[in-house]
Amino acid sequence: MPLYRSIPLALLAIWGIAIAPALAAGEPPLTVEQLVEIAVEVNPQVRAAKEQWDAAQHQILQSYAPADPVFTYGNLDSSKHFNAGAHTHNITESFQFPGEAFLQADEARRTAEIARLTYEASVRDLRAAVETAYYQVLLDQGLIAVNGENIVNLKQVVHVTQIQYTANQATQADLISAEFALAQARLQQRQYQTNRSNDRVGLNQLLYRRPASPLNLDQKIVLRPLEIGLDKAVDTAIHARQEILEAALAEKNSTTALKLAEMEYLPNYTVGTEFDYFLQPGTQPVPSVTQAYSFTFGFNLPVFFWIHQREDVRSAQHSLQAARYGVSSVLSQTEAIVTQLYQSAQFAYESAQQYRGSLIPLADKDFKVALVAYQTGKVDFLTLSTALQSGYAARITYLQNANQFLADEVALEQAIGTPLPR
């Protein structure tokens, strides 16, 4: 991976470089918060998750409803001329053992809550993707500006080297090396411009817009330290991260599923009523009776419990234990991820501050001194080239650390499940 691709964020926070936007005329600049709002509103994946949540909510009430009754009509003992001996009308209704419907409704309610958390997680992940893409687009433009400054410095080095070479105070190799570095920097500039175009396409895709749609972006990026302690971050994640809450609800559903499996030993009921209308002599149970009513009541017998109900209970017990292990696993992973990201972000912020406060100014001073010294013949071209590259490398290292901080900050919000205090 090219070096610049590993530093997708904080250039503007370093030197406050003014970036020339390629924007639609008259369109107000969009902040990262506004971009997130637009993406949440139109992104198909988020909207699909919302529909899944709505669908799950409509499955709660139906858990209370019994099975549909069964109506049966009989035309009995018909002759070849379809003269029926009797007509029967039967209605049968099945009922679960009392209490099962309430447990099933609780299970459906938690399933709907899991769907809601899944929707929130999709919004959270989309927010992180939009923020990362937003910062990447701004970084691309910033890298173009910084590399443009480097090209200006290289032109100055080429000019000085030409003068020294003309005066027989520098070798042709020095001039060739300077021109090579300048050509390489110009090629790099084209690469940065291509990356900017591609990253704009990526941001437009998250916003569900056409690839070439113009973007008017707010260009202010502020590098601030974390305003939350590690213990507080971990505690917040435990109570807010969607995956933890989903695992906890899944454990409760597994507990309910075990209760429902145990209730399979209890009988379910069937109630029926039948009306018989006797049309032909001889079909009546009693000669003077032409109509009759019947009622039926039945229940299932778990005679095969050792291969059915018992196995359902054991399966539900293992599923419950698996759900409990799942909760413990997610908790452990969350604590580790949040701790790692927090510590990495803290170190990256401190390193970035050191580069910005002391190392970059020293590198700039070193280059200026080396340039003057080269013109007076006090240092050779290698020293001058090293000083220039050291300054550029210092800026790149600063960008790496600044990017690491901001990238970890975005990932930390994603791991916690809620935005950090700003």
Side-chain angles (χ1 to χ4, degrees):
M1 179 181 293
L3 179 60
Y4 79 96
R5 300 296 291 179
S6 67
I7 50 174
L9 293 175
L11 186 62
L12 301 183
I14 311 171
W15 301 287
I17 297 173
I19 298 180
L23 309 171
E27 181 183 350
L30 297 171
T31 64
V32 65
E33 292 80 9
Q34 291 172 324
L35 290 173
V36 170
E37 291 179 3
I38 294 172
V40 170
E41 183 67 25
V42 302
N43 188 272
Q45 291 182 340
V46 171
R47 297 177 72 177
K50 178 61 167 59
E51 294 297 332
Q52 291 294 333
W53 174 26
D54 292 338
Q57 289 179 302
H58 290 286
Q59 295 175 346
I60 299 174
L61 186 60
Q62 65 180 2
S63 300
Y64 294 104
D68 291 331
V70 177
F71 173 77
T72 304
Y73 170 77
N75 189 318
L76 306 181
D77 299 328
S78 296
S79 67
K80 63 180 181 179
H81 300 296
F82 302 101
N83 294 320
H87 289 168
T88 62
H89 308 78
N90 180 278
I91 297 178
T92 305
E93 177 64 54
S94 299
F95 297 95
Q96 293 178 311
F97 191 86
E100 287 190 42
F102 294 98
L103 292 176
Q104 291 170 345
D106 288 341
E107 199 172 31
R109 191 175 292 107
R110 295 191 196 99
T111 300
E113 183 66 12
I114 290 174
R116 180 187 67 82
L117 292 170
T118 301
Y119 164 70
E120 291 184 356
S122 66
V123 172
R124 174 203 66 192
D125 295 341
L126 179 61
R127 178 189 298 112
V130 170
E131 288 177 351
T132 301
Y134 167 79
Y135 293 136
Q136 180 65 56
V137 170
L138 295 188
L139 173 69
D140 292 335
Q141 185 62 52
L143 287 173
I144 291 172
V146 168
N147 195 58
E149 181 182 348
N150 189 46
I151 290 174
V152 171
N153 290 335
L154 286 170
K155 287 180 178 179
Q156 188 177 6
V157 171
V158 170
H159 178 69
V160 170
T161 306
Q162 286 177 334
I163 294 175
Q164 296 296 94
Y165 175 69
T166 302
N168 293 324
Q169 295 179 356
T171 65
Q172 187 178 14
D174 294 345
L175 179 58
I176 293 174
S177 297
E179 291 175 341
F180 176 83
L182 177 59
Q184 195 174 40
R186 286 171 171 164
L187 185 61
Q188 184 68 67
Q189 191 78 333
R190 291 179 57 191
Q191 179 68 66
Y192 288 150
Q193 292 168 345
T194 301
N195 293 335
R196 178 183 60 186
S197 298
N198 289 337
D199 291 328
R200 282 179 174 271
V201 171
L203 182 55
N204 275 323
Q205 188 274 324
L206 292 172
L207 300 176
Y208 202 47
R209 303 173 68 193
R210 297 185 63 83
S213 299
L215 285 169
N216 187 357
L217 304 177
D218 185 358
Q219 303 159 18
K220 297 178 182 178
I221 299 179
V222 180
L223 197 65
R224 297 191 183 97
L226 295 175
E227 297 182 5
I228 186 174
L230 176 57
D231 293 339
K232 178 65 175 178
V234 172
D235 184 68
T236 301
I238 290 175
H239 293 88
R241 191 182 184 196
Q242 288 76 14
E243 285 79 0
I244 294 177
L245 301 178
E246 288 177 13
L249 289 172
E251 180 186 358
K252 291 182 179 179
N253 268 357
S254 295
T255 302
T256 301
L258 176 59
K259 293 180 181 178
L260 288 171
E262 292 171 345
M263 292 182 73
E264 291 180 11
Y265 288 107
L266 302 174
N268 295 326
Y269 303 95
T270 300
V271 178
T273 181
E274 181 175 330
F275 169 70
D276 297 327
Y277 185 52
F278 305 105
L279 303 175
Q280 300 293 335
T283 60
Q284 304 97 326
V286 179
S288 61
V289 175
T290 60
Q291 298 179 4
Y293 295 90
S294 303
F295 298 93
T296 59
F297 174 81
F299 56 89
N300 65 297
L301 298 175
V303 295
F304 300 105
F305 67 91
W306 68 91
I307 57 174
H308 185 192
Q309 286 85 355
R310 187 181 64 181
E311 293 303 308
D312 282 347
V313 171
R314 290 180 176 177
S315 175
Q317 289 172 340
H318 288 296
S319 296
L320 174 58
Q321 193 61 39
R324 289 171 177 169
Y325 286 135
V327 173
S328 300
S329 176
V330 175
L331 283 171
S332 176
Q333 291 175 4
T334 299
E335 292 178 358
I337 292 173
V338 170
T339 301
Q340 290 172 338
L341 290 172
Y342 187 92
Q343 293 177 162
S344 176
Q346 285 285 74
F347 175 75
Y349 178 81
E350 294 170 2
S351 299
Q353 293 303 307
Q354 185 172 358
Y355 269 92
R356 179 183 180 183
S358 61
L359 297 181
I360 291 177
L362 284 175
D364 291 342
K365 184 178 180 180
D366 184 37
F367 170 67
K368 293 177 182 179
V369 170
L371 186 62
V372 173
Y374 179 75
Q375 295 179 71
T376 59
K378 294 181 178 180
V379 298
D380 56 14
F381 179 78
L382 178 60
T383 303
L384 174 61
S385 177
T386 301
L388 177 60
Q389 292 302 317
S390 295
Y392 190 72
R395 284 173 167 79
I396 291 297
T397 305
Y398 172 85
L399 289 174
Q400 288 176 319
N401 284 283
N403 166 73
Q404 186 67 51
F405 169 73
L406 293 175
D408 286 343
E409 187 178 40
V410 172
L412 187 59
E413 287 185 342
Q414 196 172 8
I416 291 176
T418 186
L420 294 171
R422 301 291 184 178

